[in-house]
Amino acid sequence: MRFDVFTLFPEVFDPYLETSILKRAIDNELLEVHLHNIRNWAADKHHTTDDTPYGGGGGMIMKPEPVFAAVEAELGYPPDCPLILLTPQGKPFNQNMAMKLSEQPRLGLLCGRYEGIDERIRQHLVSKEISIGDYVLSGGELPALVLIETIARLIPGMLGDPKGAADDSFASSLLEYPHYTRPPTFRGWEVPDILLSGNHASINQWHRKQALQRTLKRRPDLLTKADLSQSDIEQLYEIIRNTKLEIPNEIKEIIKK
Ligand code: ADE
């Protein structure tokens, strides 16, 4: 899979792309990330990429010409793959979107900077706008890395363990169960006995129950989207009974079905 990133700060990507799983994916030719510095397409001698907004107001706005020139030079016009603008005004990013996007062979990512971008870039160049959360960063570079890593993890062959991505929190709409490794006792705190039992059926049941319990306590909203079996619903009942939790309305809805 190939990403073409359009940014004013290509240098911030390198250290992250040269580390761990993304580096391995690039070395193994499963992933290509091409960085394009928008400033290289600014035509004036000062390489200007921003200007003051028409109508006044604070801040500077990304000029359309260098962005259009950069994208057209790399992707053509109209762009021959989706071009995603990273912006807090975009659709909130989630694992489902990552899964759909991972089916694309190539994606363009446009990183905004300054107070905003000229609206004509949005209207005539960008095909999708994505936000990584309801907070404002100084630019789209970190969000672009978030997208690259989340999507790249889903490329077949990316993770050593083929089950790796499927087990992640959110892949099944449940949060992950707690994990432990050696030593079995650390500062007097013990690993739950069941995990040392070698009984895989019981361990799987324990994992499922822990995942249900965590999701119920921390993110009950996710349970409405989860693929729950009758036994999951019974477990949820039991957890609610034993912990005297208020039953969230979302769960009442599920149990009614
Ligand atoms: N640019 C600035 N803040 C952002 C956010 N939360 N998501 C995506 N792009 C952004």
Side-chain angles (χ1 to χ4, degrees), residues 178-234:
H179 299 282
Y180 294 88
T181 185
R182 276 181 281 270
T185 305
F186 170 68
R187 298 189 178 175
W189 299 311
E190 293 188 345
V191 173
D193 283 342
I194 182 94
L195 297 179
L196 310 176
S197 70
N199 182 337
H200 291 292
S202 305
I203 292 173
N204 286 342
Q205 273 176 5
W206 185 87
H207 282 163
R208 187 73 185 175
K209 184 169 177 184
Q210 293 292 320
L212 289 164
Q213 190 162 320
R214 268 209 170 168
T215 311
L216 178 66
K217 286 197 178 147
R218 299 182 185 196
R219 292 290 308 277
D221 57 299
L222 292 177
L223 289 171
T224 58
K225 290 173 243 152
D227 193 9
L228 298 176
S229 65
Q230 190 55 37
S231 130
D232 290 334
I233 291 173
E234 282 160 21

Side-chain angles (χ1 to χ4, degrees), residues 85-90 112-113 130-144 147:
L85 172 67
L86 286 313
T87 163
Q89 298 179 24
R113 275 270 156 181
I130 293 182
S131 161
I132 63 157
D134 288 342
Y135 40 80
V136 180
L137 299 160
S138 305
E141 284 74 17
L142 285 172
L147 256 71

